[in-house]
Amino acid sequence: MSEHSHHHGHSNNHAHTTDAELAEILDLDALILGSYLEAATDWAAELAPDSSSIIDVGAGSGAGTLALARRFPQASVTALDRSAGMLAKTLDAARDFGVAGRVDTIEVDLNVAWPASASADLMWASSSLHELADPERTMAEMFAALNPGGVLIVIEMDGLPSFLPESMPEGSAVAPGVEGRLHAALAGSGWNQYPEWTSGLERAGFAVERRHFPTLGSSTPELASRYARSFLGRMASALEGTVSPADLASLEVLLGAGPESVERRRDIVVRGHRTAWAARKP
């Protein structure tokens, strides 16, 4: 998930999100919507089965790094991120999962330059490419750093995660369709924007194919509620002046402590959608 705090890969216009807050939402996203990670790493293994060196570009809290380490038990995985705190969390998670011996980190600002030592058979960039100041330059740098025949997997969220049903019971204090309107307002202000990467990847020299990964969240009601509160809470500060007072009031109800709060609802279902590009270096 991206969170526009320029951790290269995990940033969605939440300018005041701390590392701890960001790590929580990334971990919840991976825990609840993580089936796309399994599907996408399986795809990567089909395309580059013999990869012995992997780079996670914009590793965030390390969900992709761990998924890659599990899927490629023979490979070393290097996590790149601008945030030292996120990289420390990635290493902690790698120790917890017993893969620390195969996981390394590089603290780097990719807006400055690609790290000279970072070459690989497989690269993974999940919700990170659109955060860069000059993604086409970085794609060219990744192409140069990939070994011949190597593969770059780029993943983006097609839209923000959703939690609410379209219809509401009669008399509800939450307006029907409010979530779609909130998402539209955020899209209008630039949240989660990215181009169709195919042409840029092709200009960098890659041969490209695409896949779509719809995901229905798998979680307990408590985890779903935590994710909904965390995500909707981050939306709230960005929505002032962009949506109707009625929709802001609905958001306040959801984030409150009353009977229609996210913790007390029984109709929360987490849904997400990802598109992935596989870009092969000849």
Side-chain angles (χ1 to χ4, degrees):
M1 150 149 329
S2 57
E3 295 282 334
H4 235 81
S5 48
H6 296 282
H7 290 309
H8 295 311
H10 297 274
S11 205
N12 251 347
N13 285 357
H14 306 317
H16 304 295
T17 304
T18 67
D19 270 3
E21 291 168 335
L22 180 55
E24 179 187 27
I25 200 167
L26 293 175
D27 289 345
L28 285 168
D29 179 78
L31 190 62
I32 295 171
L33 294 175
S35 62
Y36 83 88
L37 283 171
E38 182 177 352
T41 54
D42 283 349
W43 190 33
E46 290 172 19
L47 296 169
D50 300 321
S51 297
S52 61
S53 54
I54 300 172
I55 293 175
D56 184 2
V57 182
S61 58
T65 302
L66 295 181
L68 290 161
R70 288 194 297 265
R71 187 61 185 81
F72 292 85
Q74 79 286 2
S76 60
V77 185
T78 300
L80 307 185
D81 204 282
R82 182 177 177 176
S83 166
M86 286 295 187
L87 293 175
K89 183 172 175 57
T90 296
L91 288 176
D92 287 343
R95 282 189 285 272
D96 291 344
F97 278 87
V99 296
R102 295 190 291 112
V103 173
D104 197 5
T105 64
I106 298 176
E107 184 181 345
V108 61
D109 183 349
L110 294 179
N111 286 324
V112 176
W114 185 264
S117 62
S119 60
D121 300 318
L122 174 66
M123 293 184 187
W124 174 276
S126 179
S127 296
S128 56
L129 211 50
H130 71 264
E131 292 299 332
L132 298 172
D134 188 353
E136 293 222 10
R137 189 202 76 199
T138 303
M139 285 189 282
E141 291 172 337
M142 288 192 284
F143 182 88
L146 267 173
N147 296 328
V151 173
L152 164 64
I153 302 291
V154 176
I155 300 176
E156 296 282 6
M157 295 170 59
D158 295 347
L160 301 177
S162 56
F163 307 96
L164 302 174
E166 274 298 311
S167 60
M168 292 289 166
E170 187 174 349
S172 171
V174 177
V178 62
E179 193 167 43
R181 292 190 296 276
L182 298 180
H183 285 187
L186 292 171
S189 64
W191 273 41
N192 201 51
Q193 286 192 342
Y194 59 88
E196 212 297 337
W197 290 118
T198 300
S199 58
L201 289 165
E202 289 174 344
R203 282 192 293 273
F206 291 103
V208 183
E209 58 180 300
R210 288 180 60 191
R211 281 196 185 177
H212 181 62
F213 296 103
T215 306
L216 185 66
S218 173
S219 72
T220 64
E222 291 76 18
L223 277 177
S225 295
R226 264 182 64 199
Y227 189 23
R229 175 167 290 279
S230 182
F231 201 90
L232 293 172
R234 282 157 180 76
M235 290 168 59
S237 62
L239 287 165
E240 290 290 343
T242 64
V243 296
S244 71
D247 284 346
L248 281 178
S250 292
L251 188 55
E252 288 178 9
V253 169
L254 293 165
L255 295 173
E260 293 193 80
S261 69
V262 291
E263 285 83 7
R264 299 177 67 178
R265 303 186 71 91
R266 291 294 172 260
D267 55 3
I268 298 285
V269 177
V270 187
R271 301 173 298 279
H273 307 272
R274 257 79 171 182
T275 291
W277 293 257
R280 183 180 294 280
K281 180 176 180 176

